[in-house]
Amino acid sequence: MNMLNTTVMAPPAPKGLGEMRLPLVMMRDILLKTMFRKTLDTVSDLSEAICLPAAVTQELIDMAREQRLLQATGTLNANSGSEMAYQLTDNGKARALDALAQSEYFGAMPVPLAVYQEQVKRQSIRNILVTRPQLTAAMGHLILPDSLLDNLGPAVSAGRSILMYGPPGNGKSSISNGIRDALGDKIYVPRAIEYAGQVITVYDPIVHTAVTPDEEDPNALRKRRRFDERYVCCQRPTVVTGGELSLSMLDLVYNPTARTYQAPLQLKSTGGVFIVDDLGRQAESPQALINRWIVPLEEGRDILSLQSGEKFEVPFDTLVIFSTNFHPNEIFDQAALRRIFYKIKIDGPNQENFLKIFALVARKKGMPLDEAALVHLLKHKYPTINNVYANYQPVFLIDQMIAICEFEGLPYQMSPALIDRAWDNMFVKDEMIVK
């Protein structure tokens, strides 16, 4: 994999207010609101709270002092050694309350959308090269035919959309997760971005996994800011949705109380993977969902709308994986299918791979294999379903036998009789229900 060096990818910290590219009034008000809400009074504490270097934070404080919104207390902070303490003046408190009435947002200074777009290019999902050994290692817990990796590898390396289809229970979701694991490196996710004076929160601890960008020098007297700390260093994100996905989840979410926006799912997944599982089970039709993605998939940009109705562009740098049990021709027209770059069929295993999966699962679960039970399964059970094997079946059958053994107080074992009992729970017989 082309593991991009995090020091190269890292967004550089601003060196002064002139590099911030944010409205001065907005920055000043966030400083005042943060002081008011968090009761902070030193440059170091404020610098950490608004995620700016101390020198830039000091510039903001000096600007607010000139406007008589802040004043030095004339004393050193008892908890901060030689640092000067500051406090809001009466005018500063009034301004902070007025600013909070307009927007409750305080804390980390947002990143201008244009600046964030530059960072997206530096860490693009399409800059990654995934090799066969890396993809094989990420899929190591799965028994897959080589031909499947032949198709998956180029699709993942291209960073373009993938449609996986085929009968249920054959590991489409597991393969999607394996693709995510194969990416492996780190990116920088903004805590919030700014567009037209509006704040859109992006970093979400539920979606994003924060990691340490590099090792700190244990002998350093103070922490060095190696990158713009308005960002959080994270693993490449993965957003997984299923039948609950709706078109509204792909729009900005406005909080009328805080008067801020939350990024939609696809924006949170920027630089990572967006998995749409069980396509065809959503309230909206697959065709409607894919129509929403046409521009993003083709042009690498998405269009979002503010409450005012104003539309604007955001980057769309996401590996989208659609997974469905339906045949693509049943749920898409040909125009929609053209927008999906890779269509990969995931079939069930052949008998040889089925037995490998069965043995692997049995070993993991401590279930001893029994030749008579396996012969019974292959000779008498699978012919009743035309010898159609699925990846989920070994786990299902072995779990059923384990449950029976535990209930009966028996050591783990398999036998033709236990195979029969497990098999009856895997399929429902067609029969007339008499009312």
Side-chain angles (χ1 to χ4, degrees), residues 179-193:
I179 291 172
R180 172 200 61 195
D181 295 341
L183 299 180
D185 60 341
K186 304 170 186 176
I187 65 169
Y188 292 82
V189 178
R191 301 172 195 271
I193 57 177

Side-chain angles (χ1 to χ4, degrees), residues 125-283:
I125 189 80
R126 292 172 186 164
N127 290 343
I128 290 183
L129 173 64
V130 178
T131 64
R132 181 181 290 273
Q134 287 153 347
L135 191 57
T136 301
M139 304 286 184
H141 60 299
L142 303 173
I143 305 295
L144 301 174
D146 289 338
S147 59
L148 178 56
L149 293 180
D150 291 343
N151 293 323
L152 273 179
V156 176
S157 289
R160 308 304 290 266
S161 52
I162 300 171
L163 172 65
M164 293 191 294
Y165 66 97
N170 284 309
K172 291 186 289 295
S173 299
S174 298
I175 291 168
S176 298
N177 292 330
I179 291 172
R180 172 200 61 195
D181 295 341
L183 299 180
D185 60 341
K186 304 170 186 176
I187 65 169
Y188 292 82
V189 178
R191 301 172 195 271
I193 57 177
E194 175 270 343
Y195 173 76
Q198 302 297 315
V199 176
I200 303 166
T201 59
V202 178
Y203 173 70
D204 182 346
I206 296 175
V207 171
H208 301 109
T209 302
V211 293
T212 304
D214 48 29
E215 293 297 324
E216 294 287 345
D217 180 358
N219 299 316
L221 295 177
R222 63 169 53 193
K223 179 182 175 183
R224 291 174 53 207
R225 294 180 184 268
R226 292 178 171 81
F227 63 94
D228 187 341
E229 294 196 355
R230 291 178 295 170
Y231 294 81
V232 180
C233 187
C234 299
Q235 294 177 1
R236 288 191 179 268
T238 300
V239 172
V240 183
T241 65
E244 78 282 2
L245 178 64
S246 65
L247 288 173
S248 63
M249 294 166 68
L250 306 179
D251 296 330
L252 286 171
V253 179
Y254 182 68
N255 184 326
T257 303
R259 294 182 175 84
T260 58
Y261 294 86
Q262 184 178 113
L265 295 176
Q266 72 275 18
L267 187 53
K268 290 180 180 179
S269 70
T270 299
V273 182
F274 191 112
I275 299 172
V276 182
D277 209 356
D278 284 331
L279 187 65
R281 304 295 183 192
Q282 293 76 18

